[in-house]
Amino acid sequence: MVETTLLVVSGKKLTVPRILKRSLQVAIAVALTAAVFLVVIVGNGVLVGRQTSLQAGINVWLAFIKRPDILATMILTAFVTVLFVYWQRNQERKAGGSSRIQG
């Protein structure tokens, strides 16, 4: 039997397979990383004055993002991060949520 979990989208709760939820989280993380790179590359072109237009900055970004090593690094980083966050959350549950600092 496939393990299912809740996915909240636009305030609606959907029951989806766990692997689908993790895959969506990885895809969203990769898309956010690509968006950050877009801002950095286009912003660099604007601030330095080398780029003559926004289109030139976008072309540089597309050339960068389409590189297989860059894509693989972004996907691997997102995948490991998602797995780590869920692993850590499960460890906290097993410990009984007693992660408060005594002081």
Side-chain angles (χ1 to χ4, degrees):
M1 182 174 211
V2 176
E3 286 188 58
T4 60
T5 186
L6 286 178
L7 177 65
V8 180
V9 179
S10 301
K12 296 179 184 177
K13 294 180 181 179
L14 305 171
T15 303
V16 297
R18 192 172 299 262
I19 190 77
L20 176 65
K21 182 177 180 180
R22 301 297 183 265
S23 299
L24 284 173
Q25 290 171 328
V26 168
I28 290 168
V30 169
L32 288 172
T33 303
V36 169
F37 276 123
L38 175 64
V39 170
V40 169
I41 290 172
V42 171
N44 180 51
V46 170
L47 292 175
V48 174
R50 287 183 292 161
Q51 303 294 336
T52 57
S53 69
L54 180 63
Q55 185 62 40
I58 292 174
N59 289 338
V60 170
W61 173 75
L62 280 173
F64 178 74
I65 289 298
K66 288 181 179 180
R67 288 179 42 190
D69 57 332
I70 298 300
L71 280 174
T73 302
M74 288 182 356
I75 291 168
L76 181 62
T77 302
F79 181 72
V80 169
T81 302
V82 167
L83 289 180
F84 174 74
V85 166
Y86 281 101
W87 175 80
Q88 188 175 25
R89 186 181 71 176
N90 288 338
Q91 294 301 313
E92 289 173 353
R93 283 185 187 164
K94 288 179 185 176
S98 60
S99 61
R100 289 182 54 196
I101 298 173
Q102 301 293 325

